[in-house]
Amino acid sequence: MTAVGAFVPLPTHYLFYAIAGGGAFLLVAAWSTWWVHLARRRVARAAGPDHA
Amino acid sequence: MEPTNDETPLTPAQMLALLEDQQRTVAGRMASFVPWILLSWGVAWLAGFLILWVDAVPYDGPTVPSVPAGVIFGGLLAVATVVSMVLGIRSGRGLRGTRESAFVGIVYGNMWWIGSIALIVIGRAMVDRGMPVALLAVFFPSAYFFYAGVMYVMSGLVWRARPMCCSGSGRCS
């Protein structure tokens, strides 16, 4: 995205970095939330029904 | 005297299962702060660059951001940095790390500000050698975007976090 952003006309490049940069962070935050949720479920399953 | 159930030695398989269970618990606890750090950076980047864009739109060309826009942008990044530091410290509370993990954390954490200062110096040096000041508006966002991507790939490799690797490599490309 850096290579693309460097060629985006100014000042629209700020808008590009807002959406590409901030949006990517938010998408990965959602992904990692799911990732952590799955990890917790695996731990609960491994601990057995008493700890689930 | 017969040993009670609690004192019965675990088999190697049970010990391995217990060890793996503990490792998963610790890894899950340490990773639970990652989404909040990413969320804080997402909000900071999104709001910060939108403010720079709104500030620069009237000029329709290369221009240096105004002081208020630059201060707000820097403030948002500073808040995200503080949030990351606080959550990172809290995630490791109660855990005894190794010297190796401490070394990795110290080097990684310090590389953020060392690299950031280096990029500022490089930008100023390019201006001193004839680059128009207004082109810093192209150089700084691109350079920081790229550098953040490299650092995210590094963090993903160090802490085995695939989301960080994907985010970082996407930024660098």
Side-chain angles (χ1 to χ4, degrees), chain B residues 6-18:
Chain B
D6 288 343
E7 292 168 347
T8 306
L10 295 174
T11 65
Q14 286 174 320
M15 283 195 280
L16 181 63
L18 179 64

Side-chain angles (χ1 to χ4, degrees), chain A residues 26-49:
Chain A
L26 295 177
L27 273 177
V28 179
W31 178 13
S32 58
T33 302
W34 177 244
W35 186 60
V36 169
H37 173 71
L38 288 182
R40 281 182 175 160
R41 265 180 43 182
R42 272 200 303 270
V43 170
R45 204 180 301 134

Side-chain angles (χ1 to χ4, degrees), chain B residues 3-89:
Chain B
T4 63
N5 283 343
D6 288 343
E7 292 168 347
T8 306
L10 295 174
T11 65
Q14 286 174 320
M15 283 195 280
L16 181 63
L18 179 64
L19 183 67
E20 287 175 344
D21 181 43
Q22 292 298 310
Q23 282 178 333
R24 277 194 295 265
T25 303
V26 171
R29 197 177 124 194
M30 291 189 71
S32 63
F33 71 98
V34 170
W36 294 104
I37 289 179
L38 291 167
L39 181 68
S40 68
W41 282 103
V43 171
W45 277 68
L46 188 65
F49 276 111
L50 279 178
I51 287 167
L52 293 182
W53 177 62
V54 169
D55 179 66
V57 160
Y59 300 101
D60 193 28
T63 179
V64 176
S66 66
V67 172
V71 168
I72 293 172
F73 181 69
L76 284 167
L77 295 186
V79 168
T81 303
V82 171
V83 168
S84 302
M85 287 171 61
V86 170
L87 289 177
I89 291 168

Side-chain angles (χ1 to χ4, degrees), chain A residues 3 7 10 12 21 25 33 37 45-47:
Chain A
F7 284 100
L10 290 96
T12 314
F25 267 125
T33 302
H37 173 71
R45 204 180 301 134

Side-chain angles (χ1 to χ4, degrees), chain B residues 8 18 29 46 67-69 75 84 92 94 104 111 117 132 153 155 166 172:
Chain B
T8 306
L18 179 64
R29 197 177 124 194
L46 188 65
V67 172
S84 302
V104 169
M111 278 311 295
I117 290 174
V153 170
S155 67
C166 291
C172 291

